Amino acid sequence: MPEQLRGMELYDRTDLQQSFVRAEAGGTVREASLILEGIVCAACVWLNERHVGSIPGVLEFRVNYSTHRAHLRWDDSRVHLSVILKAVAAIGYVAHPFDPGRQEALLKRERSGALRHVAVAALGSMQVMMLAVAMYAGTWYGMDEQWRVFFRWISLVITLPTVAYAGAPFFAAAARDLRNRRLGMDVPIVLAIVLATAASVWYTVAGGGEVYFDSVTMFIFFLLSARFLEMSARHRAAQVSEELSRILPATATRIGASGDTV
């Protein structure tokens, strides 16, 4: 990250800004479109807008949750673009100039990563649920204690890597929220996962009590599935928005009252 932060100072160069920064005539006010990485919920949008908007010299900062694009307007005589980008990085996000090709690559990477997490959660939850059904049936129809203990340990072995990998997005987002001293929606999610998993591990080792390995894995699977569906809808909205923006002409000619053109 330090090398990346030092590289952000390159965005202050005038020759580099010509490709993505619009300057108001006769002034130091600048405008630019940025892409924000790491946005997972509306709370992330609120945090970025509040944090960046409080920087002296930033005149406007609006984030579109559907496209993860941000509209930035600032006074370059009071604050440089690199300072704003570093401020975004300081709260756990990454901002860089908007580029259609890079945005498409980011969307593909986000989708493939989400699919992997959903697949692992689905596989782990199905295996644990089969063992849980066997133990539930054993409560009614009778099951030797040695088999119950064996099924619990097998469930533990399956659950821990499932929680570690499939639950990684929740853990990362919750850690970022805590570093920023705020309670986002991922904090209670992680708290529930950790408490239920820890209690189940304890009762498995102790040889008594109830275990909730099936509930933990299914909880993660349902949350990831819901986020994947939401992400798919957001990506479709982003694609439609980009297609509409491509239709707009880059320049236009205005005819004045006297017939002159601008």
Side-chain angles (χ1 to χ4, degrees), residues 109-130:
R109 187 176 65 185
E110 183 183 13
R111 180 179 177 83
S112 61
L115 272 176
R116 287 194 300 269
H117 286 98
V118 171
V120 172
L123 182 61
S125 61
M126 286 190 296
Q127 300 301 319
V128 173
M129 184 57 69
M130 288 192 296

Side-chain angles (χ1 to χ4, degrees), residues 111-127 158 161-163 165-167 169 217-218 220-226 228:
R111 180 179 177 83
S112 61
L115 272 176
R116 287 194 300 269
H117 286 98
V118 171
V120 172
L123 182 61
S125 61
M126 286 190 296
Q127 300 301 319
I158 298 175
T162 301
V163 170
Y165 182 81
T217 54
M218 291 299 294
I220 294 176
F221 170 68
F222 285 135
L223 285 177
L224 289 175
S225 299
F228 179 78

Side-chain angles (χ1 to χ4, degrees), residues 32-258:
S33 293
L34 306 176
I35 300 178
L36 263 70
E37 299 182 33
I39 299 292
V40 296
C41 62
C44 299
V45 173
W46 173 85
L47 175 63
N48 278 274
E49 291 181 343
R50 180 174 178 271
H51 181 69
V52 176
S54 64
I55 300 174
V58 174
L59 306 178
E60 184 181 5
F61 187 72
R62 292 181 288 104
V63 180
N64 187 314
Y65 174 63
S66 298
T67 61
H68 290 187
R69 288 181 61 178
H71 174 73
L72 173 65
R73 187 166 175 264
W74 78 99
D75 188 346
D76 198 59
S77 64
R78 300 174 59 191
V79 62
H80 293 304
L81 180 59
S82 62
V83 175
I84 301 174
L85 298 180
K86 290 178 181 179
V88 175
I91 57 175
Y93 300 87
V94 178
H96 48 78
F98 171 74
D99 177 65
R102 185 169 182 179
Q103 185 187 36
E104 184 177 357
L106 289 174
L107 294 179
K108 290 181 178 180
R109 187 176 65 185
E110 183 183 13
R111 180 179 177 83
S112 61
L115 272 176
R116 287 194 300 269
H117 286 98
V118 171
V120 172
L123 182 61
S125 61
M126 286 190 296
Q127 300 301 319
V128 173
M129 184 57 69
M130 288 192 296
L131 297 171
V133 170
M135 288 188 286
Y136 293 149
T139 302
W140 292 97
Y141 299 105
M143 175 184 289
D144 293 340
E145 186 62 23
Q146 61 180 359
W147 285 110
R148 186 179 301 276
V149 172
F150 176 73
F151 286 159
R152 285 190 173 190
W153 278 100
I154 294 298
S155 299
L156 184 151
V157 171
I158 298 175
T159 299
L160 290 183
T162 301
V163 170
Y165 182 81
F170 303 114
F171 293 127
R176 182 179 58 208
D177 290 341
L178 293 177
R179 285 196 302 268
N180 296 321
R181 297 182 179 180
R182 70 182 183 93
L183 297 177
M185 64 173 60
D186 291 292
V187 174
I189 290 175
V190 169
L191 185 61
I193 293 173
V194 170
L195 290 178
T197 304
S200 301
V201 172
W202 171 261
Y203 287 133
T204 299
V205 175
E210 297 293 333
V211 295
Y212 307 97
F213 294 122
D214 55 328
S215 301
V216 172
T217 54
M218 291 299 294
F219 180 60
I220 294 176
F221 170 68
F222 285 135
L223 285 177
L224 289 175
S225 299
R227 288 195 175 184
F228 179 78
L229 294 176
E230 183 270 341
M231 180 195 66
S232 299
R234 177 166 48 80
H235 285 185
R236 287 194 296 270
Q239 291 175 355
V240 172
S241 177
E242 291 303 320
E243 290 175 357
L244 289 176
S245 65
R246 293 191 186 101
I247 297 176
L248 296 176
T251 60
T253 301
R254 183 178 64 186
I255 303 177
S258 60

